[in-house]
Amino acid sequence: MLATKTLTEEICDLKVERRAVLLAHHYQEAEIQELADWVGDSLELARKARDFDGDVIAFCGVWFMAETAKVLNPNRIVVVPDRNASCSLVDSCPAEPVRAYRRLHPDHVIVSYINTSIEVKAESDILCTSRNAVQVVNSIPLDKTILFLPDQNLGNYVQQQTGRQNMKIWQGTCIVHATFPVRRLIAASEAHPGAKIVAHPECPKAVLDMADFVGSTSAIINWCVHSPAREFIVMTESGVGHSLHKLAPEKKFYFVANENCNCSECPYMRMNTLEKLRDALLYLEPRVDLTGDLMRRARVPLDRMLALK
Ligand code: 13P
Ligand code: SF4
């Protein structure tokens, strides 16, 4: 009697058949991270997508990340397990008002967080991620006014770090990070008095002001692993716990629930499942399909960001 394949075996076989690479963001379920060829933050995954030379990218993250991978690989197939894996920041920033802003202020520099639609990227001068946003803003001549979009908390943080005054900030927010209440962080800090606080820059200022370290998901993991401290309160999506526990099993990590879901999970990221990943590799759907013109225009600000060391 033939043994039936497990879901994991099916995915591994399909990966070979399709000459696929599996890229996973830190906010994916642990079982997806375990199968991935690379797990990373949005900047690392964009770099991995750029350096890829197989046929298919199975992007286990949210749609804008897969669109970015497609722009870097126009002739390859890019699939995402769930087409509805969006992002509240993308939804907070439609392309038409950005185009209108561009028409009104042709001399301003539009810096777009990578958490934007492909249409918004195509209107932008340069992109950034949470990891390099300060560096990107510092790379723009001081006499140029900047429109930073769409995350207001990241924008305010970057403004504080750079001291940049001529910077307008879009008022979008992440439903996960922006709803971490400082009172819950204070309570966690009182419960674990020796714990260091680490936070993603999409968190509100009151949370960031309490943090010992602010950075992207990979930067947070790296900082905790190398810190001499033993306990950490982690103000980001709890998917990072998977790498944290693997890399520093002797340390303790505490997550704080937000007011959106009373959890610390991104509802969009968590739409992806192993079953949907298997189907995406099998049927090569849902597939990212973009016009050549859109990809060419979005590639310019993306390459400018990736050219920064
Ligand atoms: P990173 O750039 O840290 O991967 O963050 C992406 C994101 O969506 C955070 O909510
Ligand atoms: Fe978007 Fe927030 Fe989810 Fe990140 S955590 S993908 S910013 S909704």
Side-chain angles (χ1 to χ4, degrees), residues 274-294:
L274 280 187
E275 285 81 2
K276 291 178 194 173
L277 171 58
R278 186 263 324 271
D279 289 350
L281 284 166
L282 188 60
Y283 303 115
L284 298 179
E285 294 287 347
R287 191 185 299 200
V288 180
D289 190 16
L290 304 169
T291 66
D293 177 56
L294 208 46

Side-chain angles (χ1 to χ4, degrees), residues 25 27 41-42 115 130 177 200 202 216-217:
H25 190 267
Y27 298 167
D41 66 16
S42 53
N115 298 42
S130 59
H177 294 88
H200 196 280
E202 291 170 9
S216 74
T217 49

Side-chain angles (χ1 to χ4, degrees), residues 51-78:
D51 301 338
F52 166 67
D53 68 355
D55 295 334
V56 175
I57 296 178
F59 209 113
C60 296
V62 286
W63 195 256
F64 75 79
M65 294 179 177
E67 283 183 335
T68 308
K70 179 68 182 176
V71 169
L72 293 163
N73 293 277
N75 299 320
R76 296 197 167 94
I77 293 171
V78 180

